[in-house]
Amino acid sequence: MSDNQLLERGFRRYHGEEINVYFNKEICEHAAECVGNAPEVFDTKKRPWITPDEASALKVERTVKLCPSGALQYRYDN
């Protein structure tokens, strides 16, 4: 899915130097896989709560892939 398609479907973009993370709160199941696997990136006590540059792009990618609902997506910033 392209950046524009994600945004049109209600996702919000969190920009990183290498990787962008997209989140759609409407479909989130609150399984907390993101918070549990990369708390330095996904911290609900901070704003913005997603900071992709706090871990390697590979760790962010692997964590996003654990999201059971699809509320998290990623795209590498080229």
Side-chain angles (χ1 to χ4, degrees), residues 10-17 19-25 28 30 33-35 38-57 59-61 63-64 67 70-75:
F11 285 82
R12 180 173 175 195
R13 179 179 51 219
Y14 295 86
H15 181 74
E17 278 190 44
I19 193 167
N20 294 320
V21 175
Y22 299 80
F23 176 66
N24 185 328
K25 68 180 181 177
C28 180
H30 305 288
E33 292 291 334
C34 55
V35 175
E40 68 277 23
V41 175
F42 301 92
D43 185 347
T44 59
K45 295 177 185 144
K46 291 184 355 187
R47 294 293 176 258
W49 78 280
I50 300 174
T51 51
D53 291 336
E54 295 299 319
S56 71
K59 182 173 184 179
V60 173
E61 175 186 346
T63 301
V64 168
C67 180
L72 289 170
Q73 301 289 320
Y74 72 90
R75 290 186 50 82

Side-chain angles (χ1 to χ4, degrees), residues 8-9 12 18-19 27 29 32 36 51 55 59 62 66 69 73:
E8 287 171 2
R9 292 181 182 200
R12 180 173 175 195
E18 292 182 57
I19 193 167
I27 60 176
E29 295 177 355
T51 51
K59 182 173 184 179
R62 288 179 178 161
L66 295 173
S69 67
Q73 301 289 320

